[in-house]
Amino acid sequence: MTTVAQQRVLRTAIPGPLSVELHQRKLATVSAGVGTGLPVYVERAGGGILVDVDGNQLIDFGSGIAVTSVGNAAPRVVERVQAQVADFTHTCFMVTPYEEYLEVCEALADLTPGDHEKRSALFNSGAEAVENAVKIARHYTGRQAVVAFDHAYHGRTNLTMALTAKNMPYKHRFGPFAGEVYRAPMSYPFRWPGGPADCAKESFDVFVSHVHSQVGADNVAAVVLEPIQGEGGFIVPAPGFVRQVADWCAEHGILFIADEVQTGFCRTGDWFASEHEGVVPDLITTAKGMAGGLPLAAVTGRAEVMDAIHGGGLGGTYGGNPVACASALGAIETMREEDLCGRARAIETIFLPRLQALAERFPQIGDIRGRGAMLAIELVRGAGDLTPDAALTAAVNKECHTQGLVILTCGTYGNVFRFLPPLVASDDLLAEGLDIFEAAFAKAAG
Ligand SMILES: *Cc1c(COP(=O)(O)O)cnc(C)c1O
């Protein structure tokens, strides 16, 4: 196993000459539809550092989109994966099963909210998990309609494109989309017409009246909600909103699906973001942080719901691949042993004061939000003017990249910086990343 020194090193311009060369090959061989945020080609990685082909060491504030929460090439992940890949690589669980799949499902039953009887099914991607959660909900309830929210992101397959809110780049000219998907207004305190206090008072009522008038509660199989929205802008709904929606679903025989693909597995300071809201979802979808970088996803839910499906109704050739399961077991062990939920809460206390201080200097920072190690700032024109400032966001982003900080943006209006560092990154590395971010912000905004 390689060990990577946990520090930034800049040897060339970013991207360096070898990355530039590889990028020329990329353009000649990879579909232009597959974009790259920062065309720096990675050769090795460890913890919170990415080493590129030119020998630069970049600080990782993105974790490959909230995936490598346990760090890149985490020791327990590498060890388990290497052992598993040498034992066997694939049988297809639906043909001849293996214990690792069961262990992952047992861990999911143990860790997800609620102590009721649970069952899980494993898949390859977050989108696949969300699709299957909807299949399960429709089958169980005998109803068809599914309600998703403004700013939602649930994936790029046909059904999950329909659930996803944002046109560019996810949906543009990719229709027609799956039917019986309805969109409700999101509880978005920063952009609620009367402000955050009105949002807390009104957003649930607006949701209910919207569903009653446009869909009819009796027609709804499931409501799908990210407890903190991811790609849509790290939108934290008003306090109580998630709970009210979940309770309302229960009253109307609707399944509440928490899409915790991005929020799950310690990211927000709890194992799952639903816990903070005191919510026990009927179905919960997980992926990203669960398996330390290998593709694995799950739907976990009430036994009576999950077992209502006929044999063979759920599955897929690769779902719950043994190597991916071994990786997940190594990642979950790391989260438990190193108390990465506690570490996510500590990361919040490192980031928040610095982001608050930055917001005092720059009125373009309109909102600071998030929880644990899932934090964001939303950029606007200035005090009192909430017009999204995507241009400033892009300029700061570019400057961070030049300085060797891998950072991600998001948001319906492209004006949000999201901070998703690996939970194992040291205080020093996080502080250095924040130094770079602050300097980049001052340079671009000043
Ligand atoms: C990333 C994401 C998905 C889609 O996951 P993929 O593995 O990219 O298919 C679904 N839901 C949420 C909340 C996500 O963040």
Side-chain angles (χ1 to χ4, degrees):
M1 198 184 306
T2 56
T3 52
V4 176
Q6 294 298 294
Q7 62 194 39
R8 180 181 63 146
V9 178
L10 296 185
R11 294 189 197 283
T12 69
I14 303 289
L18 295 175
S19 276
V20 170
E21 218 177 290
L22 285 170
H23 203 59
Q24 289 309 312
R25 273 171 61 195
K26 186 259 182 193
L27 298 176
T29 195
V30 179
S31 162
V34 182
T36 45
L38 170 56
V40 150
Y41 285 73
V42 174
E43 196 169 73
R44 275 184 308 135
I49 290 285
L50 305 173
V51 186
D52 76 9
V53 288
D54 291 287
N56 300 299
Q57 302 205 161
L58 292 84
I59 298 176
D60 184 8
F61 268 12
S63 302
I65 318 187
V67 169
T68 53
S69 297
V70 294
N72 221 310
R76 291 180 185 85
V77 167
V78 172
E79 199 181 307
R80 293 236 196 187
V81 166
Q82 284 178 339
Q84 180 57 46
V85 84
D87 281 348
F88 67 96
T89 50
H90 174 83
T91 61
C92 186
F93 189 78
M94 302 182 304
V95 178
T96 47
Y98 38 87
E99 186 178 3
E100 291 76 11
Y101 191 116
L102 313 184
E103 288 182 275
V104 171
C105 295
E106 284 159 1
L108 284 163
D110 188 31
L111 296 170
T112 53
D115 43 24
H116 52 284
E117 198 56 24
K118 294 171 198 160
R119 305 283 186 266
S120 292
L122 303 183
F123 304 98
N124 305 295
S125 71
E128 214 189 334
V130 174
E131 286 237 16
N132 277 279
V134 169
K135 279 168 64 173
I136 293 162
R138 284 176 168 160
H139 184 105
Y140 177 77
T141 59
R143 304 173 179 180
Q144 293 187 349
V146 179
V147 178
F149 289 84
D150 284 334
H151 310 288
Y153 182 86
H154 298 292
R156 297 169 179 267
T157 57
N158 187 261
L159 175 58
T160 56
M161 267 194 296
L163 294 167
T164 291
K166 190 176 176 180
N167 177 50
M168 275 303 271
Y170 310 122
K171 304 171 75 164
H172 186 60
R173 298 178 69 160
F174 292 143
F177 304 110
E180 286 304 308
V181 171
Y182 298 88
R183 192 162 311 288
M186 178 61 185
S187 177
Y188 188 172
F190 181 62
R191 292 194 178 277
W192 196 260
D198 281 6
C199 183
K201 272 192 285 194
E202 297 168 1
S203 53
F204 171 66
D205 292 341
V206 169
F207 160 76
V208 169
S209 79
H210 189 92
V211 178
H212 276 309
S213 64
Q214 299 191 21
V215 197
D218 291 353
N219 299 317
V220 180
V223 171
V224 188
L225 176 62
E226 299 155 85
I228 296 177
Q229 288 184 318
E231 311 300 299
F234 278 32
I235 298 164
V236 185
F241 180 78
V242 179
R243 177 68 181 269
Q244 285 173 301
V245 170
D247 289 350
W248 180 84
C249 285
E251 278 166 37
H252 292 83
I254 297 167
L255 296 189
F256 178 73
I257 303 174
D259 182 354
E260 295 236 22
V261 165
Q262 192 154 163
T263 48
F265 286 97
C266 300
R267 179 50 63 183
T268 65
D270 292 296
W271 280 96
F272 295 94
S274 298
E275 288 170 60
H276 184 89
E277 312 285 342
V279 166
V280 177
D282 297 301
L283 297 172
I284 181 163
T285 54
T286 50
K288 293 197 166 93
M290 161 155 75
L294 269 73
L296 187 70
V299 180
T300 301
R302 297 184 180 285
E304 70 269 23
V305 176
M306 299 293 291
D307 282 345
I309 312 296
H310 49 279
L314 304 175
T317 306
Y318 295 110
N321 168 274
V323 183
C325 285
S327 186
L329 295 171
I332 292 167
E333 186 187 338
T334 307
M335 293 176 210
R336 282 192 160 122
E337 301 272 310
E338 300 184 14
D339 182 24
L340 293 189
C341 287
R343 180 61 189 158
R345 294 191 293 270
I347 289 174
E348 178 179 331
T349 68
I350 293 170
F351 272 70
L352 274 190
R354 295 201 48 178
L355 296 176
Q356 276 151 0
L358 197 64
E360 267 160 38
R361 286 167 60 200
F362 296 102
Q364 296 98 322
I365 300 178
D367 194 23
I368 303 171
R369 58 182 179 247
R371 235 175 17 243
M374 183 171 181
L375 299 169
I377 56 175
E378 177 161 354
L379 273 52
V380 295
R381 289 267 178 78
D385 181 355
L386 301 192
T387 311
D389 198 338
L392 177 60
T393 309
V396 176
N397 194 39
K398 190 156 179 277
E399 180 61 19
C400 286
H401 288 172
T402 303
Q403 297 302 324
L405 176 66
V406 179
I407 188 160
L408 304 175
T409 61
C410 64
T412 299
Y413 316 110
N415 65 327
V416 176
F417 278 107
R418 52 171 151 177
F419 302 94
L420 289 167
L423 305 178
V424 297
S426 69
D427 289 6
D428 285 350
L429 196 68
L430 297 175
E432 193 184 349
L434 282 163
D435 291 342
I436 298 166
F437 183 76
E438 288 164 0
F441 202 100
K443 188 169 170 188

